[in-house]
Amino acid sequence: MPDLKVKLTAPNGTEYTQPTGLFISNEWVPSSDGGTITSIDPTTEEVITSVSAATESDIDAAVRAAHRAFKSEWRSFEGTARGALLYELAALVDAHASTLAAIETWDNGKPYTVALTEDLVEVSAVLRYYAGWADKISGKVIDTTSAKLTYTLRQPLGVCAQIIPWNYPLAMAAWKLGPALAAGNTVVLKAAEQTPLSILYLAELVKKAGFPPGVVNVVNGYGRVAGAALVQHPLVAKVAFTGSTATGKEIMKMAAGGLKNITLETGGKSPCLIFADADLDQAVKWAHVGIMSNMGQVCCATSRIYVHEDLYERFLEGFAARVKEVSVIGSPWEEGTFQGPQVTKRQQERVLGYIEAGLSEGARLVTGGKEAAGQGKGFFVAPTVFADVREDMQVVKEEVFGPVVTVSSFKDEDEVLARANDTMYGLGAAVFTADIARAHRIAASLESGTVWVNSSNDGDFRVPFGGVKMSGIGRELGEAGLDGYTSTKAVMVNLGTRL
Ligand code: NAD
């Protein structure tokens, strides 16, 4: 049996043991055909290490392990006991936060300070939040007639397939593991092939926390092989996916074969509306956060900015200055870095392709517009602002998933609402105004799962998140996040002998 752990030292000096196998039934096993995924450091373009890539038969083993656990030992864990395990996992995440953050930064390229003080804080907060819910998931007694006692039970679904993306590997894992485990399901989780490492370290903590074998299984693998096998496995009851809309559609088709319960969180092209009465400094600050955080690799990034014509040039001036001042590009290990590299060469090229398209379609380049110079190595892209864009431009219509934003002006509310909603997506939207009536009116009319008033992209684990239109189905986080992991059973007790 090959050694399925390697000792590594991250670029910031963090020494740790990296598991490299498939985590099935609390054991590390190799891929059945010896296949691997090689992880590349996006900052230096050097190989970090290789990990096992699951085959169809490995997926079958993982799903069967989860199914066995669901049918046996895990059943005897009452809500309070499941909550205690999730609390323990959250505590372990906190205790190992600096190592987890180092792995995330190494593999993904996000600034270390962000990984540590934002992503890891979110991971344990989400796990704790759902730990608290574990013994508060209950049905209802429904008053019908005096001859009947009718009540509902909220029961777990069974084996949940969870497929996560590369932009927030640990946070996306927590969003999915927390509610699934709180509700009493078992899980097979597959990480994205671009960022396979942190999730394996988290799996080690799952075992340490005391989860019985098979309750949480973690694999890496290629989407078309491992992902597809997982979605179509007959013992999988539910599929939860975060990633691109194109893959989401594929998954929905595959899940249809078994009529499986699905939650999809897919792409976006979220608008940010700035009215003439908005606080300009606040609008500039949040508009920057809304698109430039996490190298622009955020599904709900507010990537289309619409500014009232009276404020347009002043906004552009302030926004360009903010981008130049705050979007410091560099090594993600440097304290002052705001923007690291894009996750892969492919993503860098994709983003640069959209920049090319914007330029050739005649958008006015305010800043950026190229590969970030002077880095030598790494998949860097300069933060890019296009102004005076038209709605038919590719850079306005399609999700770029990089530090690229378009800005255009508008005259009135109806016009900007129509333009904001003229997209196949509907994940997030922001509105900046001092007029409280307008704020609520616009919030109700924007076609999106979330609306931020006078901010952008400030999520909260207690608040449901998800999309409408082609941005997804179902909700994650908050109490609503539990709905996707429970089934409501009606029990009708006939108390008498009458019909
Ligand atoms: P993707 O959607 O292809 O991959 C996301 C996950 O789905 C990965 O774990 C992948 O292995 C898995 N997957 C891929 N094909 C599959 C299949 N046929 N069956 C089952 N699972 C499958 O995303 P990507 O190719 O890495 O990125 C492309 C674009 O997706 C990005 O540029 C961006 O627009 C979007 N994206 C969105 C999010 C988000 O949070 N909504 C995250 C990452 C990427």
Side-chain angles (χ1 to χ4, degrees):
M1 165 99 71
D3 192 5
L4 295 169
K5 290 191 179 159
V6 287
K7 289 210 179 299
L8 295 178
T9 306
N12 70 341
T14 302
E15 292 178 8
Y16 76 102
T17 302
Q18 172 69 54
T20 60
L22 308 169
F23 184 74
I24 300 176
S25 268
N26 281 4
E27 302 290 342
W28 292 104
V29 296
S31 158
S32 53
D33 71 354
T36 56
I37 288 174
T38 298
S39 172
I40 307 285
D41 175 353
T43 310
T44 62
E45 305 183 27
E46 281 164 19
V47 169
I48 302 176
T49 192
S50 293
V51 300
S52 302
T55 62
E56 218 170 293
S57 75
D58 298 326
I59 293 295
D60 182 57
V63 173
R64 285 186 190 283
H67 192 251
R68 270 196 307 278
F70 182 70
K71 290 281 183 197
S72 56
E73 196 181 352
W74 191 230
R75 284 251 151 128
S76 65
F77 277 70
E78 288 167 4
T80 309
R82 296 195 301 269
L85 288 174
L86 279 167
Y87 278 124
E88 183 56 27
L89 181 59
L92 285 165
V93 166
D94 284 344
H96 291 255
S98 59
T99 302
L100 285 163
I103 304 172
E104 203 80 317
T105 292
W106 201 6
D107 211 9
N108 168 282
K110 66 177 68 201
Y112 176 72
T113 332
V114 174
L116 185 64
T117 63
E118 295 180 21
D119 293 32
L120 265 300
V121 170
E122 180 176 342
V123 171
S124 57
V126 170
L127 294 173
R128 269 195 195 96
Y129 174 77
Y130 283 111
W133 266 114
D135 56 6
K136 298 170 197 69
I137 302 170
S138 47
K140 273 188 191 171
V141 174
I142 301 168
D143 201 8
T144 54
T145 71
S146 58
K148 304 277 161 69
L149 169 65
T150 307
Y151 61 94
T152 57
L153 297 172
R154 286 182 70 195
Q155 297 187 307
L157 303 171
V159 179
C160 300
Q162 304 189 322
I163 298 181
I164 59 170
W166 42 260
N167 53 345
Y168 292 94
L170 288 169
M172 290 303 100
W175 283 28
K176 289 184 170 39
L177 289 173
L181 298 172
N185 299 280
T186 59
V187 170
V188 179
L189 188 149
K190 191 195 87 63
E193 39 276 61
Q194 297 82 352
T195 51
L197 302 182
S198 58
I199 198 71
L200 299 180
Y201 194 91
L202 182 72
E204 194 77 352
L205 302 184
V206 164
K207 184 173 177 176
K208 222 178 236 171
F211 283 90
V215 172
V216 179
N217 305 277
V218 175
V219 297
N220 278 294
Y222 293 98
R224 295 207 168 275
V225 180
L230 189 50
V231 172
Q232 295 176 90
H233 198 292
L235 292 178
V236 164
K238 192 224 161 73
V239 180
F241 165 80
T242 300
S244 63
T245 296
T247 304
K249 285 201 271 185
E250 282 296 306
I251 285 179
M252 193 164 173
K253 272 190 228 155
M254 289 189 281
L259 216 66
K260 295 180 201 296
N261 180 313
I262 52 171
T263 304
L264 303 175
E265 201 264 275
T266 54
K269 191 73 190 173
S270 301
C272 173
L273 282 50
I274 301 172
F275 284 86
D277 60 355
D279 178 327
L280 183 61
D281 289 344
Q282 285 295 307
V284 163
K285 182 183 84 181
W286 284 106
H288 175 265
V289 168
I291 179 63
M292 297 303 175
S293 303
N294 211 43
M295 289 65 75
Q297 300 167 149
V298 182
C299 48
C300 53
T302 37
S303 51
R304 291 183 291 145
I305 302 178
Y306 297 94
V307 189
H308 190 270
E309 57 187 5
D310 293 351
L311 207 60
Y312 187 62
E313 288 302 333
R314 277 167 56 214
F315 172 83
L316 271 178
E317 198 183 311
F319 189 63
R322 179 92 188 166
V323 170
K324 283 182 189 142
E325 183 196 330
V326 180
S327 282
V328 177
I329 306 186
S331 161
W333 303 102
E334 294 290 328
E335 186 109 27
T337 295
F338 179 88
Q339 188 182 313
Q342 306 307 121
V343 70
T344 55
K345 178 95 187 140
R346 182 164 164 249
Q347 281 301 120
Q348 182 200 33
E349 285 170 356
R350 186 184 137 100
V351 176
L352 291 172
Y354 276 109
I355 291 175
E356 276 303 309
L359 291 170
S360 67
E361 286 174 312
R364 165 158 65 112
L365 183 66
V366 176
T367 183
K370 55 185 183 312
E371 195 171 331
Q375 304 299 327
K377 288 246 170 217
F379 311 130
F380 294 87
V381 175
T384 297
V385 180
F386 283 121
D388 308 347
V389 295
R390 294 184 320 269
E391 294 301 321
D392 62 348
M393 290 178 175
Q394 203 186 354
V395 76
V396 178
K397 290 218 117 28
E398 295 178 21
E399 183 180 46
V400 176
F401 225 64
V404 178
V405 67
T406 62
V407 191
S408 58
S409 68
F410 69 89
K411 283 186 197 308
D412 67 52
E413 191 177 309
D414 288 346
E415 173 214 337
V416 74
L417 253 180
R419 287 166 63 193
N421 286 337
D422 183 20
T423 166
M424 68 175 188
Y425 295 115
L427 200 50
V431 53
F432 289 83
T433 179
D435 179 341
I436 192 165
R438 172 157 55 205
H440 291 297
R441 197 165 59 233
I442 299 250
S445 305
L446 283 164
E447 295 166 358
S448 66
T450 299
V451 174
W452 297 282
V453 176
N454 294 331
S455 74
S456 179
N457 278 263
D458 55 344
D460 189 300
F461 55 87
R462 292 154 289 211
V463 180
F465 181 83
V468 298
K469 303 200 286 192
M470 300 280 270
S471 288
I473 295 174
R475 292 292 175 267
E476 295 190 290
L477 298 182
E479 186 178 356
L482 290 165
D483 294 345
Y485 289 100
T486 56
S487 157
T488 300
K489 179 184 281 175
V491 182
M492 307 184 73
V493 184
N494 188 2
L495 299 175
T497 51
R498 287 174 295 145
L499 267 181

